[in-house]
Amino acid sequence: VGKASWEQGPRWATTRIRAEQMAVIEMLQSRHLRATGKEISRSEVLAALMAEGLERTLNHPDFGGH
């Protein structure tokens, strides 16, 4: 039995991000650095945003929630 695709390690994709979306990512990178003293990558910021917003998005009517 093969591993689930998420268990096989990172899978990378390239996508376009609008200027205002990049501004949010860069702002969060800066806040993280000030708060922790550690740099964080753009992909790590995006992963944190996705994780925090997943439940709310799944519950939104536009995404099949109630």
Side-chain angles (χ1 to χ4, degrees), residues 44-58:
E44 290 170 312
V45 171
L46 184 56
L49 282 167
M50 291 171 57
E52 289 298 316
L54 180 59
E55 184 175 356
R56 184 174 181 167
T57 301
L58 290 174

Side-chain angles (χ1 to χ4, degrees), residues 1-9 11:
V1 178
K3 289 183 173 183
S5 63
W6 57 270
E7 291 178 330
Q8 295 175 1
R11 292 178 57 186

Side-chain angles (χ1 to χ4, degrees), residues 22-42:
M22 185 58 72
V24 169
I25 290 171
E26 290 173 349
M27 179 265 304
L28 290 172
Q29 280 182 298
S30 178
R31 288 177 58 98
H32 184 275
L33 180 60
R34 280 195 310 272
T36 68
K38 299 176 185 176
E39 292 187 356
I40 188 171
S41 70
R42 290 174 180 162

